[in-house]
Amino acid sequence: MIIGLTGSIASGKSTVAAMLNELQLPIIDADLVARVVVEPGTETLQQIVEAFGEEVLLEEGTLNRPKLGDIIFHEPAKRKTLNDIIHPAIRREMLRQRDELLENGARHIIMDIPLLFESRLQHFVDNILVVSVKEETQLRRLMERNNLSESEAKARISSQLPLFEKEKGADAVIYNNQSLESTREQLHKILRIWQVVN
Ligand SMILES: CC(C)(COP(=O)(O)OP(=O)(O)OC[C@H]1O[C@@H](n2cnc3c(N)ncnc32)[C@H](O)[C@@H]1O)[C@@H](O)C(=O)NCCC(=O)NCCS
Ligand SMILES: Nc1ncnc2c1ncn2[C@@H]1O[C@H](COP(=O)(O)OP(=O)(O)OP(=O)(O)O)[C@@H](O)[C@H]1O
């Protein structure tokens, strides 16, 4: 089974992914892939510089992530420009990794894709698992984790579909507002129902 793991920024996807990793389930992380495809020397990074200018590069030639983040999380048109450049590269690399795992006999694969719904990738997975959280909890955790102001955190949250929309498209939802143990119990129950674990 290929499980699409998604949610919203700071809803707890990486936290749940770590729990899945403890179960030895292979995980393809879109955010990590998004870093690989923009490494110095890649065509994708070149296209980003052509679109946004040298200001989005650090001296050593790597992407200035906070700088590009500030641009795209506040300007939807520029976010679309970036997405049109980077999403095809991310998609290609994720499918390459998925096919490699399947060829090597993987029975279950987790694809951790924050923008699964926004990028309309539902057809790449069998079941969709959404990690959801109350807005005030999400805002607090995001501000604390990334040391962001409330407005910066809200700009990032509003750049994605609302969680209640994603819950509608889910085959299962984990409500990540309480303790990590509560989240883990919900996860294991869902994996047993899907016969991913005994
Ligand atoms: C703009 C970038 C450079 C900012 O990097 P930074 O290290 O500050 O943030 P990071 O990559 O950790 O992203 C944090 C979270 O922001 C959200 N996010 C990232 N990109 C986007 C986007 N284009 N639209 C909406 N939300 C996004 C995701 O929930 C992600 O988990 C980076 O987010 C990026 O390359 N985004 C484009 C690639 C992408 O769409 N990634 C999502 C994969 S599905
Ligand atoms: N149940 C929980 N209780 C307390 N803190 C939590 C819980 N779940 C997650 N967190 C914390 O909230 C923050 C966001 O969680 P996490 O990084 O897993 O979210 P994410 O969905 O992967 O975020 P992003 O989309 O930015 O990658 C982290 O600092 C994490 O340690």
Side-chain angles (χ1 to χ4, degrees), residues 105-134:
R107 287 188 57 234
H108 303 294
I109 300 172
I110 313 294
M111 295 184 82
D112 179 348
I113 312 174
L115 304 185
L116 186 144
F117 289 103
E118 293 89 340
S119 304
R120 294 180 181 77
L121 298 177
Q122 294 92 319
H123 56 289
F124 286 145
V125 302
D126 299 313
N127 281 18
I128 296 175
L129 175 57
V130 167
V131 183
S132 191
V133 68
K134 289 188 186 116

Side-chain angles (χ1 to χ4, degrees), residues 30-139:
D31 281 343
L32 290 183
V33 168
R35 291 169 180 267
V36 167
V37 300
V38 295
E39 283 172 352
T42 57
E43 188 186 327
T44 310
L45 182 60
Q46 183 54 42
Q47 290 170 350
I48 289 171
V49 173
E50 282 163 13
F52 292 90
E54 300 276 337
E55 63 171 299
V56 299
L57 284 182
L58 294 170
E59 277 174 32
E60 61 268 30
T62 56
L63 183 63
N64 183 340
R65 303 181 69 81
K67 174 81 177 169
L68 186 54
D70 279 347
I71 294 170
I72 71 136
F73 288 122
H74 291 93
E75 298 181 61
K78 294 196 174 175
R79 180 158 70 243
K80 184 179 183 320
T81 300
L82 175 63
N83 289 347
D84 290 348
I85 292 170
I86 200 169
H87 283 178
I90 292 174
R91 199 168 303 159
R92 273 195 304 276
E93 176 55 19
M94 289 189 78
L95 292 179
R96 187 194 68 74
Q97 292 185 21
R98 178 196 69 176
D99 294 345
E100 190 175 289
L101 283 166
L102 288 172
E103 280 159 24
N104 292 338
R107 287 188 57 234
H108 303 294
I109 300 172
I110 313 294
M111 295 184 82
D112 179 348
I113 312 174
L115 304 185
L116 186 144
F117 289 103
E118 293 89 340
S119 304
R120 294 180 181 77
L121 298 177
Q122 294 92 319
H123 56 289
F124 286 145
V125 302
D126 299 313
N127 281 18
I128 296 175
L129 175 57
V130 167
V131 183
S132 191
V133 68
K134 289 188 186 116
E135 191 161 337
E136 62 270 21
T137 305
Q138 177 184 25
L139 185 62

Side-chain angles (χ1 to χ4, degrees), residues 11-12 131-133 137 141 174-180 183 186:
S11 67
V131 183
S132 191
V133 68
T137 305
R141 289 177 183 170
I174 290 177
Y175 297 93
N176 184 36
N177 300 290
Q178 307 303 322
S179 69
L180 292 177
T183 296
Q186 291 177 66

